[in-house]
Amino acid sequence: MRRMKMESVPVRIHDLGSLEGYRLDFGREELWERLDAPLTALAVRLPVYLVSEAQMDRLYPPKRRRFFLEDRLRERLRRLRERDLEEDEDPFAPFRDLEVEDGEAWRRQAVVVAAGLYLRRLDPGPKGDVPRLAAREPAPEALAAFAQEEGPAIFLCPERILAWAERAGVPGEVAVDKVYYHELAHGLMDTAGLLPDPYGESWGRVVEESLANLVAFRRFQGREALWVAALIREQPPEYRGYAAASTHLFPFHQGLPPLPFWHPFFREVWEDYLYWLKRRGFSLRYSPLLLLPTPQDPGELNLLTWREAKRLGLWQNPEAARAWGAFARLLLEEAVGA
């Protein structure tokens, strides 16, 4: 990687004390050419801070240090596929005891999870400790910017990103770009405002992390896309549902306009699909948006629906929460090959 260059890029990048930050080149044209309009708008608005591993660990919210035990998750998913769910049964309940939150799990996963971080608002407590945890002396302008920072902001840990890239056999530039796009995607999905954020729910984390990886993955083509898929494969199961989120449309589209057509030819396929959904815990009390065939992209519609569910608080409807739990279960099922 070349030295960090920013002369012609109107994006705020501050090195807050990373040992490897100097190796990142944010002046590369391909980094910015891949962005669409919504992500470009965020890139100009959101500052980026390059931080050491210790700084990232201090900033990373403790409540996010939870991971699914993959082997047990796969086995339980397979067993649950043997039976139908009851009408009012919580489809995600059987997995909550498979989450772990301990130091050993954090040490194993930090390099592929806490390589980047989007924060809507900085907690004054952790923020005050961050400068003293720098791995090298930060530039005065970076310290001044961070002192005034309240959020939203993106934090990248170059040490972890580059270690992750080496572990996966992926070029460092691709790993940096993937992590940055992933955090921009979290900014794109930060629509809850003053309402509760479903990311705090186990199923909400699965949905959002999978969608964030889908947004990041779709920035790449060809061999680079294969490299990004290899990076994602290193992450915990809740991050790996991006492929399923691109092909399986979430069927609880309350408040969104229906598709304008229906073709009788697809009735049998549609009925089979409804049965498939019901077996996996989706409620059919509300009419799904999905009418096959659809010219709209399922991944884009899932992203739109998730953003609107957060913005309007629709997920707080118990029936909607149950449907999102079923969707998260599907993403996990596809992610671990259950």
Side-chain angles (χ1 to χ4, degrees), residues 59-121:
L59 287 163
Y60 209 88
K63 63 183 179 181
R64 297 194 192 180
R65 303 183 186 195
R66 300 174 295 167
F67 309 98
F68 285 103
L69 297 172
E70 183 165 348
D71 290 343
R72 292 177 59 194
L73 174 65
R74 182 183 295 106
E75 177 59 29
R76 188 163 301 179
L77 280 164
R78 287 173 176 169
R79 282 195 286 109
L80 288 169
R81 293 186 71 174
E82 301 297 323
R83 67 175 183 86
D84 293 342
L85 271 73
E86 300 295 331
E87 183 67 21
D88 294 319
E89 185 178 352
D90 180 353
F92 205 78
F95 313 111
R96 292 192 172 91
D97 68 309
L98 301 182
E99 289 184 291
V100 296
E101 183 178 353
D102 60 42
E104 181 57 33
W106 174 251
R107 283 188 291 274
R108 290 197 309 268
Q109 301 289 1
V111 70
V112 298
V113 172
L117 176 66
Y118 168 83
L119 288 178
R120 176 195 296 180
R121 189 167 184 83

Side-chain angles (χ1 to χ4, degrees), residues 191-202:
T191 58
L194 298 178
L195 294 172
D197 193 325
Y199 189 95
E201 303 288 337
S202 299

Side-chain angles (χ1 to χ4, degrees), residues 229-265:
L231 289 167
I232 295 174
R233 186 64 190 166
E234 299 272 319
Q235 295 188 284
E238 50 266 48
Y239 289 72
R240 302 205 309 259
Y242 71 104
S246 72
T247 57
H248 294 80
L249 186 61
F250 176 74
F252 188 96
H253 287 253
Q254 184 184 39
L256 293 180
L259 294 179
F261 60 85
W262 167 256
H263 196 294
F265 176 77

Side-chain angles (χ1 to χ4, degrees), residues 197-212:
D197 193 325
Y199 189 95
E201 303 288 337
S202 299
W203 51 261
R205 190 173 75 259
V206 173
V207 172
E208 178 140 336
E209 294 297 353
S210 293
L211 287 174

